[in-house]
Amino acid sequence: MKNVNKYARGYFMPPVTSLKWTEKEYITEAPTWCSVDLRDGNQALVIPMNLEEKLEYFQMLVKIGFKEIEVGFPAASETEYMFLRTLIENNLIPDDVTIQVLTQSRDHIIKKTFESLKGAKNAVVHLYNSTSLAQREQVFRKSKEQIADIAVTGAKLLKKYAAETEGNFQFQYSPESFTGTEIEFALDVCNQVLDEWQPTADNKVIINLPATVSMSMPHVYASQIEYMSENMKYRNNVILSIHPHNDRGTGVADAELSLLAGGQRIEGTLFGNGERTGNVDIVTLALNLYSHGVDPGLNFENILEIIEVYERLTRMKVPERQPYSGKLVFAAFSGSHQDAIAKGMKWHDEQQSEAWSVPYLLIDPKDIGREYEGDVIRINSQSGKGGIGYVLEQHYGLDLPPKMREGFGYAVKDVSDKFQKELMPNEIYDIFNEQFVNLTSPIEFVSYSFTQHDNFETKVTVSIDGNVEELIGTGNGRLDAINNAIKEKLGLEYNDLFYKEHALETGSKARAVSYVSITDPNGTVSWGCGIDVDIMTSSVKALFSAVNKLIKD
């Protein structure tokens, strides 16, 4: 591509090696989660949510289990100010939930922010100013000392207005554009703010280190976080927070590695909605933890309900292949995948295994409110016999013999390919009925009777092209006798009669289903299926269906 040399690396590695996080295998406990859907997420919407929509969204976040929720920038607009006052004055904030508000380091903005918080039971006041080299040089045209003074002045103002305002407040500071800031300077600014706030074990503060723009590979961000964690003053009294964006598509990786590196808290949004390419996706992060056997502390057992509310209120769409939450994320169209999943499901049922290990499925879809039948096995022209057979068995109780599954699979794939569409379970069942079940042309079975001496003798009444005829045959069993009658009367050559049957339902009125295959002299196998309340009749119908297939083919 052109102009590649114009893109210099704009991030800053720590001055010392910070790689202790690489020695850890996985995250052992969930971080503190802070949803910023109502701030970062809302400001990224083409049509921001109104007051009623924000209230509904807030209630959903509470229901999911968020204990910290950033509700907005109350000094920025009347809607955000009124939303915060509505929450407080109508007592809509549960006692165990802390709200968070954002403010720039400017006196009149901080003053109005605390006015909006009057009476808050628990609130985090989030102070920020940009510290990056690019912003210092191009936007503010200020020195490091001047930028640090903005942060410290804001820290002092937070103390001043908090002391004058009714409520319970915790302080948070973000060196915005942290990833584009020289790491020693970012540490110095944070330490100056901490010196002003003097955090204690009973009054901890939050230092939030945002990847406002994701500028590096994830391991670099993790090393930056580890350096800050190991060199920050008052570390035991500081909650180290991570706020990754997703410019490079690595938001989740940034967050996970940073948690290994000392991060204790994550700010993000449901499904990653945020400016540009978005914030880190908390649903993915939380369910990644869940897939490793770590309780994320958030409830996504009803993911489809959450998606419905999210899409309706934000007017955004969850992509079909979004991890865990996408409509098709558990769906397998590939034949080999479907076969492995179907066999894995059956193995788990047989073994009653508590540990989840089904091939191709990272977690059990049912644990987040998804259904196997509609979400896992999806049928199109790429599907295989295993998946197609699985659909018939799960939806209609038809347990096709393996060889019949193969033949039927080709029939289904041909239909899907012809019409260029995915086939629903009822369409697959209709194809099976039309091509294999109780076939009556050109030979229609009418009735039979048996007598038994040394062998079984049968009289079978059939209708051939509208003419009723009677077939006579003998055999060592009922089905063998009928089979011989058919072959003798019609002069058909076939052998290798295969038979399988099972009940289709339970109870006194249950139907039986039978499967029969026959092989002609050329080795071509024809399958038939019979369904009837009488097991013998179902087997006879299956045989006649196979014979009709043979004649037609």
Side-chain angles (χ1 to χ4, degrees):
M1 291 181 64
K2 296 179 181 179
N3 304 321
V4 67
N5 293 327
K6 73 190 286 186
Y7 296 107
R9 290 181 290 276
Y11 58 85
F12 299 90
M13 283 292 287
V16 296
T17 302
S18 300
L19 294 173
K20 292 179 183 177
W21 59 268
T22 62
E23 300 171 4
K24 300 176 184 178
E25 181 182 352
Y26 61 93
I27 302 164
T28 57
E29 62 181 2
T32 298
W33 303 104
C34 178
S35 162
V36 295
D37 289 81
L38 295 170
R39 170 53 190 168
D40 285 36
N42 189 55
Q43 90 174 357
L45 300 178
V46 175
I47 304 174
M49 288 181 276
N50 60 34
L51 179 61
E52 290 74 20
E53 290 170 334
K54 293 186 79 171
L55 286 170
E56 184 179 353
Y57 204 105
F58 177 83
Q59 290 162 349
M60 177 180 69
L61 293 172
V62 170
K63 185 178 179 181
I64 290 170
F66 284 97
K67 300 304 178 186
E68 297 186 12
I69 301 172
E70 188 169 84
V71 295
F73 194 146
S77 74
E78 188 63 22
T79 298
E80 300 214 354
Y81 185 96
M82 288 307 301
F83 173 55
L84 181 53
R85 292 313 307 163
T86 300
L87 289 175
I88 295 172
E89 292 172 9
N90 292 296
N91 199 28
L92 298 176
I93 307 167
D95 291 343
D96 63 345
V97 172
T98 298
I99 56 171
Q100 177 171 302
V101 294
L102 193 66
T103 180
Q104 294 172 331
S105 183
R106 300 169 68 182
D107 193 338
H108 72 283
I109 292 178
I110 294 173
K111 180 180 180 181
K112 187 167 184 179
T113 298
F114 275 95
E115 289 174 0
S116 72
L117 284 169
K118 183 178 180 181
K121 296 176 183 176
N122 296 290
V124 172
V125 183
H126 181 185
L127 171 74
Y128 77 96
N129 69 300
S130 186
T131 58
S132 73
L133 174 62
Q135 295 240 33
R136 293 198 317 266
E137 290 182 342
Q138 301 172 36
V139 180
F140 303 114
R141 303 195 178 192
K142 292 182 181 294
S143 67
K144 287 181 178 179
E145 292 73 20
Q146 290 172 309
I147 293 295
D149 184 62
I150 292 173
V152 173
T153 299
K156 291 178 179 178
L157 289 169
L158 257 63
K159 287 173 59 179
K160 173 181 181 294
Y161 287 111
E164 299 171 357
T165 306
E166 175 193 352
N168 182 34
F169 307 111
Q170 183 178 25
F171 298 156
Q172 173 173 326
Y173 173 68
S174 289
E176 199 228 351
S177 299
F178 164 75
T179 45
T181 304
E182 304 92 330
I183 196 74
E184 300 99 322
F185 178 55
L187 178 65
D188 178 54
V189 174
C190 289
N191 281 336
Q192 288 189 53
V193 170
L194 290 170
D195 281 337
E196 185 62 39
W197 283 342
Q198 295 286 314
T200 65
D202 295 327
N203 187 25
K204 293 185 177 184
V205 302
I206 301 168
I207 294 294
N208 186 57
L209 302 176
T212 308
V213 179
S214 177
M215 305 177 75
S216 68
M217 293 175 68
H219 74 285
V220 173
Y221 186 48
S223 294
Q224 292 170 334
I225 298 303
E226 185 172 276
Y227 176 82
M228 295 291 286
S229 177
E230 292 192 339
N231 293 281
M232 192 176 295
K233 290 184 178 181
Y234 313 95
R235 182 63 186 89
N236 291 335
N237 300 325
V238 172
I239 299 167
L240 189 58
S241 179
I242 311 301
H243 184 115
H245 281 242
N246 198 41
D247 302 84
R248 291 170 51 89
T250 59
V252 169
D254 288 338
E256 291 185 328
L257 297 189
S258 296
L259 289 176
L260 294 177
Q264 299 160 289
R265 179 179 183 266
I266 292 286
E267 292 188 346
T269 61
L270 297 179
F271 312 112
N273 178 42
E275 289 220 77
R276 306 186 309 278
T277 55
N279 289 53
V280 70
D281 177 351
I282 286 183
V283 174
T284 298
L285 276 176
L287 292 177
N288 279 356
L289 285 175
Y290 183 70
S291 75
H292 281 173
V294 177
D295 186 349
L298 298 174
N299 187 345
F300 294 113
E301 294 175 9
N302 240 334
I303 192 71
L304 295 178
E305 179 183 318
I306 294 168
I307 291 170
E308 186 281 321
V309 175
Y310 167 83
E311 292 189 337
R312 174 167 49 83
L313 297 182
T314 66
R315 301 161 184 87
M316 299 282 286
K317 290 293 181 182
V318 175
E320 291 184 335
R321 293 293 183 180
Q322 180 102 342
Y324 301 107
S325 50
K327 183 179 180 181
L328 297 179
V329 74
F330 292 108
F333 290 100
S334 161
S336 60
H337 288 204
Q338 291 176 343
D339 185 59
I341 291 170
K343 289 175 178 175
M345 295 283 200
K346 186 174 183 179
W347 184 90
H348 272 259
D349 288 341
E350 293 170 350
Q351 301 295 321
Q352 296 184 335
S353 174
E354 292 184 3
W356 182 258
S357 62
V358 172
Y360 299 111
L361 296 181
L362 184 60
I363 66 170
D364 185 345
K366 286 192 173 181
D367 286 336
I368 58 171
R370 306 289 291 267
E371 293 297 329
Y372 298 143
E373 292 83 355
D375 291 334
V376 177
I377 304 294
R378 304 281 292 271
I379 305 302
N380 64 12
S381 61
Q382 304 301 307
S383 303
K385 61 183 185 298
I388 293 167
Y390 179 84
V391 168
L392 280 184
E393 185 172 2
Q394 292 296 310
H395 284 265
Y396 302 104
L398 294 166
D399 184 14
L400 277 59
K403 291 291 185 180
M404 187 181 193
R405 288 189 180 201
E406 185 174 345
F408 178 55
Y410 287 119
V412 171
K413 290 163 69 171
D414 285 346
V415 173
S416 177
D417 191 44
K418 178 181 178 181
F419 292 102
Q420 291 291 295
K421 59 174 286 190
E422 177 187 358
L423 297 178
M424 297 296 103
N426 64 301
E427 294 175 301
I428 296 167
Y429 182 66
D430 289 344
I431 295 170
F432 183 71
N433 266 326
E434 179 184 340
Q435 296 196 19
F436 294 94
V437 179
N438 298 348
L439 301 183
T440 60
S441 176
I443 307 172
E444 180 180 2
F445 161 71
V446 179
S447 65
Y448 60 78
S449 63
F450 292 102
T451 57
Q452 184 178 6
H453 299 290
D454 292 335
N455 290 316
F456 286 91
E457 297 180 0
T458 185
K459 293 181 180 180
V460 186
T461 303
V462 298
S463 175
I464 303 176
D465 296 329
N467 299 314
V468 176
E469 298 190 27
E470 192 172 78
L471 314 182
I472 306 296
T474 61
N476 57 17
R478 289 181 173 85
L479 192 62
D480 185 50
I482 292 177
N483 185 49
N484 290 333
I486 294 172
K487 293 171 73 173
E488 182 176 341
K489 175 68 177 179
L490 300 178
L492 294 174
E493 291 186 48
Y494 62 82
N495 50 40
D496 295 336
L497 177 68
F498 170 87
Y499 170 73
K500 173 188 174 181
E501 56 86 16
H502 65 79
L504 197 55
E505 301 101 0
T506 59
S508 59
K509 296 183 179 180
R511 294 175 298 165
V513 57
S514 300
Y515 311 95
V516 167
S517 73
I518 53 179
T519 306
D520 73 10
N522 296 319
T524 301
V525 178
S526 296
W527 283 94
C529 176
I531 299 177
D532 196 89
V533 292
D534 177 72
I535 183 63
M536 186 63 218
T537 303
S538 77
S539 63
V540 173
K541 288 181 176 180
L543 175 59
F544 272 95
S545 294
V547 169
N548 282 323
K549 289 279 288 184
L550 175 66
I551 294 172
K552 286 183 176 181
D553 293 341

